[in-house]
Amino acid sequence: MNGVLVLILGALGIGLGYFWYARRIDQNIVQPDPNKATPAKMYMDGVDFTPASRNVLFGYQFKSIAALGPITGPIIAVQWGWLPALVWIILGTFFVGWVQDYGAMIMGVRRDGDTMGALSYKLISPRARNILMIFLYFYLLLIMGAFGNAVGKVLMINPQVPFGMLAVVLMGVLAGQMTYRWKQDIIITTIVTVVLTFVGIWLGTQPFISNIFSGFYGLPESPHWFLGNTQAQVLGTLLVIIFCYLGSVLPIWSFAQPVNYVSFWIVSIGVLGGIIGLLIWRPGMGDFPVFTQFTTASGPLWPILFITIACGAISGWHSLVSTSGTARQLEKETDALPVGGGAMFMEMAFAVIAFLTATVAFGSFQGYQDAGGAAKALAVFSGGLANFLDHIGIPHDFGVAYGSVFLTIMALTIMQLVVRFMRVASAELVGGAFPVMKNVHVGTIVALVLTLVFVWVIPWLTIWSAFGASNQLMAGLALMLIALWLRSEGRKNAWALYPSIFMIVTTIAALLYLAYVNFFKKLPAAETAQAGIAAALVGIIAIVLIVAAGFLIADGVKALQKPPEAKKAVEAA
Amino acid sequence: MEAGRATPDTPGHTRSDIVPVLRLTTVLLKVLSYWIRRCPAFIINRRAVYVGWNPDELDHRIADGLGCLSDDVAGKGGSGDGWQERVRAWFRRARKVVSEFLYGMTTYEWVRDLRQERAEVERLFVLITFGDLVGLPILPPYYTLRLLPYVVPLVNSWKRSLLRERDLTDLASLIEGIG
């Protein structure tokens, strides 16, 4: 199979999915009315509820949902062979992914801009909102562990990467100063900071700087320090933690916001360069197998593949962004499909490109495994991107460092915002009982210590599976809510209900598998305290999520059995 | 120097070759800077503008920003006089879509953050001065009544915003890029 053929197949999936299936559902079932006032117009406050153009919202929604998730999942999933991964990316988006994003958005619009928490409360049960909070908490904790692990223990230990990462941070801070304090031209600010960042990434690849970090990490044979982590891994993780601490406690305009802005250009230029390189090169998959085996190191194809590729096919997080963010800014109901559905299909294209970096960039399955395989998915992506960039004349060493900085900064920009969120969440949830948790620094440090436990103790693939499971459970909940809402309006809901059943059954099966493997296989066989703690932690998380999902299903089935609101209204009349 | 004659510095190139290229580059730069500076409500003449505590001024800026986005001048097709007009209209539409998409991916988030910050302080200010409206008398009415004319336009959205039920999922849109 040729890489360009895969791109064409992806484009066909998008064309059929968006222009045929999604449009039919939009026009025949949901029937949006362009003249109906949306919450953005009815409750316009210039802050949360503000109408904006659908093109602006499309860019906003896409940036909000597409990042490291759609890159990582496909690269891990090709361990089952390229066909299952590609089929799930395309069919998952076709039948499930866009349904959730679009459904959540239009539901938010029709229900006065309510968020997922409020919708769960009203449509399922008061308990459902608390269950959503449990999913959310574990989701954020696991995402910190997963991204922290991938960045701190894999990407940052390359001595050519930390200086590039520091360059992005410093240029981000400079961008904030130039824009807000010195009131400089935004074009000049962008050009200066982006160019200097590239210079910084290049300097990081030069021996006189990379040798400093080699010494700092104790390379080439970095000694083991503790919990099975080397000196390089411990120090790399601590650099990540320091970054997240600054991102959480500093004013958002001076750090998080401008760093995100500069990194956006660095990432976009990299993606664009990679696509151009791919189109020039047009490589084939070589001996990359169509299908390897049913059970791999991560587990059996069903259900584990379906939680491994979460973002890129379907992700529960999108429903939260769609309701609390975008639904409150839609100018017309008819904008929900291009914004919600369109952004999801575009994310699918992003996932296909990530899939190609694993399958065609190395020319063989052995090449993929030599680059790190599923266990080092982000290293595979940076290596693959460097191979694509080779074909537009970018030196390979620089390409690898650039790809690694690109991924590191993508992860860190998310992690700093997640820590910020966790700090606020802990202050809200336990601040009454423990007033000390209201302190900005204490809340941040607690979140970061929990992150360090996850990063240092739990293996990457295990934590990614647990993260995927919590994400997909949220997706199942969101789809169930959409099905309930459609029923309450007296509309056909099979297009949301069946995907919901599929996602919930698959995710619970995955969690049962995770609990079984960790409690009955890994825990008894654990030879170190670290392995035992990791198995117990993941097993406990899996059990908590299963119990929470059990309550949710029970409440959801009860809600489904109630007569729909529309029917009740007719009967009352 | 006459147009069309080769210069000593650039053998083989004529002034008439270079001028259109320079003009095109200048026009492109102008167009680019115009797109970027006109959209964010708080960036005026390509620089961040602080509008202090004058809500009218900020509303005016925001209205300008929103106006430029909902402006549909470029979104409509031509008058239908021939294919050239249709092609031009198509390019205008494409330019509008791309510029708005880029704006949505870059500085739109900044504008939202600034609005959030302004709204937080404003909510607090109105709560302190007009808490009576929601059953929280904080300042004596003598002083608050003098502020009434300034606050009347804000009251509806302030009450709705203050009394709206919130939970942690309200903050989800602040974390972008998880996937």
Side-chain angles (χ1 to χ4, degrees), chain A residues 30 86 136 237 261 271 286-287 293 298 351 359 401 405 412 427 456 475 479 496 507 541-542 570:
Chain A
V30 177
L86 188 62
L136 198 57
T237 318
Y261 178 73
V271 170
D287 68 349
Q293 53 190 344
S298 294
T359 51
V405 170
L412 293 182
W456 281 344
L479 286 163
T507 313
I541 290 172
V570 172

Side-chain angles (χ1 to χ4, degrees), chain A residues 546-562:
Chain A
I546 291 167
V547 171
F551 283 119
L552 191 67
I553 293 165
D555 289 354
V557 170
K558 269 187 215 165
L560 271 170
Q561 285 168 347
K562 284 181 198 165

Side-chain angles (χ1 to χ4, degrees), chain A residues 173-393:
Chain A
V173 173
L174 179 67
Q177 291 296 316
M178 285 178 78
T179 307
Y180 289 110
R181 285 244 189 266
W182 306 334
K183 298 176 186 175
Q184 290 300 308
D185 187 314
I186 195 155
I187 298 175
I188 291 173
T189 303
T190 307
I191 292 170
V192 167
T193 51
V194 171
V195 169
L196 285 178
T197 304
F198 275 110
V199 172
I201 295 170
W202 175 78
L203 282 175
T205 63
Q206 301 306 302
F208 69 95
I209 289 185
S210 63
N211 286 345
I212 296 171
F213 285 98
S214 293
F216 180 62
Y217 286 154
L219 295 172
E221 293 295 323
S222 189
H224 276 268
W225 273 15
F226 58 89
L227 292 173
N229 297 298
T230 62
Q231 177 184 342
Q233 288 173 326
V234 172
L235 294 176
T237 318
L238 287 175
L239 283 177
V240 169
I241 292 298
I242 290 168
F243 176 90
C244 293
Y245 179 78
L246 293 174
S248 174
V249 301
L250 288 175
I252 199 156
W253 69 265
S254 67
F255 194 85
Q257 194 187 66
V259 169
N260 284 8
Y261 178 73
V262 173
S263 62
F264 164 79
W265 291 108
I266 302 298
V267 169
S268 303
I269 292 168
V271 170
L272 201 65
I275 293 172
I276 294 170
L278 172 70
L279 291 175
I280 292 172
W281 185 16
R282 296 191 301 279
M285 284 187 191
D287 68 349
F288 208 100
V290 174
F291 178 73
T292 53
Q293 53 190 344
F294 189 77
T295 304
T296 63
S298 294
L301 187 143
W302 188 85
I304 302 297
L305 170 79
F306 299 88
I307 58 161
T308 299
I309 302 181
C311 323
I314 171 161
S315 161
W317 184 260
H318 297 189
S319 61
L320 296 174
V321 175
S322 296
T323 47
S324 65
T326 321
R328 295 171 170 183
Q329 299 170 70
L330 282 186
E331 202 172 3
K332 295 173 189 165
E333 281 192 354
T334 43
D335 291 348
L337 183 63
V339 174
M344 183 60 221
F345 278 107
M346 196 157 153
E347 192 190 50
M348 185 198 106
F350 199 40
V352 169
I353 290 162
F355 164 86
L356 287 173
T357 57
T359 51
V360 303
F362 302 99
S364 65
F365 189 61
Q366 190 58 45
Y368 158 73
Q369 285 180 319
D370 291 345
K376 290 184 177 175
L378 296 189
V380 171
F381 184 81
S382 55
L385 187 73
N387 288 347
F388 290 153
L389 292 176
D390 261 351
H391 290 80
I392 53 170

Side-chain angles (χ1 to χ4, degrees), chain A residues 95-108 111 114-121 123-124 128-129 131-133 135-136 314-324 469-487 493 495-504 507 549 552-553 556 560, chain B residues 169:
Chain A
F95 288 110
V96 195
W98 80 269
V99 170
Q100 185 215 220
D101 291 21
Y102 161 78
M105 197 176 286
I106 194 76
M107 177 171 65
R111 303 278 306 198
D114 277 348
T115 60
M116 286 292 284
L119 288 166
S120 317
Y121 183 92
L123 290 171
I124 301 181
R129 170 151 65 182
I131 294 171
L132 178 71
M133 295 303 160
F135 289 163
L136 198 57
I314 171 161
S315 161
W317 184 260
H318 297 189
S319 61
L320 296 174
V321 175
S322 296
T323 47
S324 65
S470 65
N471 193 12
Q472 302 304 62
L473 262 184
M474 281 208 299
L477 165 66
L479 286 163
M480 187 198 283
L481 271 173
I482 295 162
L484 281 166
W485 164 71
L486 287 164
R487 193 166 179 275
N493 67 356
W495 57 285
L497 185 62
Y498 292 131
S500 160
I501 293 169
F502 174 76
M503 288 314 302
I504 289 174
T507 313
L552 191 67
I553 293 165
L560 271 170
Chain B
T169 53

Side-chain angles (χ1 to χ4, degrees), chain A residues 18 63 65 95 104 133 142 158 174 203 218 226 236 276 281 289 311 396 414 440 467 493 523:
Chain A
Y18 182 82
K63 197 191 168 201
I65 65 173
F95 288 110
M133 295 303 160
L142 289 165
N158 175 353
L174 179 67
L203 282 175
F226 58 89
I276 294 170
W281 185 16
C311 323
H396 192 266
I414 298 160
V440 170
F467 155 69
N493 67 356
L523 195 55

Side-chain angles (χ1 to χ4, degrees), chain A residues 43-53 55-60 62-65 67 69 115 117-118 129 132-133 139 143 179-180 183-187 252 257 261 264-265 311 315 317-318 320 324-325 328-329 331 346-347 414 417-418 421 424-425, chain B residues 29 32-34 36-37 40 42-43 45-50 62 66 69-70 96-97 100-119 123 157 160-161 164-179:
Chain A
Y43 309 124
M44 184 174 170
D45 57 7
V47 187
D48 297 316
F49 295 86
T50 312
S53 150
N55 302 322
V56 173
L57 289 181
F58 179 68
Y60 169 76
F62 178 65
K63 197 191 168 201
S64 298
I65 65 173
T115 60
R129 170 151 65 182
L132 178 71
M133 295 303 160
Y139 176 83
I143 207 167
T179 307
Y180 289 110
K183 298 176 186 175
Q184 290 300 308
D185 187 314
I186 195 155
I187 298 175
I252 199 156
Q257 194 187 66
Y261 178 73
F264 164 79
W265 291 108
C311 323
S315 161
W317 184 260
H318 297 189
L320 296 174
S324 65
R328 295 171 170 183
Q329 299 170 70
E331 202 172 3
M346 196 157 153
E347 192 190 50
I414 298 160
L417 293 174
V418 172
F421 186 97
V424 177
Chain B
L29 276 176
L32 186 68
S33 64
Y34 177 67
I36 292 180
R37 78 165 185 260
F42 70 102
I43 292 176
N45 290 330
R46 297 185 293 175
R47 282 170 177 75
V49 170
Y50 292 87
I62 289 172
L66 289 173
L69 297 178
S70 57
K96 179 171 181 274
V97 169
E100 288 187 352
F101 174 68
L102 274 179
Y103 168 59
M105 286 186 86
T106 52
T107 42
Y108 182 62
E109 179 202 345
W110 296 26
V111 176
R112 287 202 79 205
D113 286 345
L114 285 173
R115 285 183 187 150
Q116 297 273 7
E117 281 192 22
R118 174 215 172 190
R123 262 201 295 269
S157 60
R160 205 168 38 236
S161 170
R164 184 159 54 84
E165 193 185 352
R166 291 167 199 270
D167 58 41
L168 285 174
T169 53
D170 266 273
L171 298 175
S173 63
L174 300 180
I175 305 176
E176 57 171 30
I178 283 191

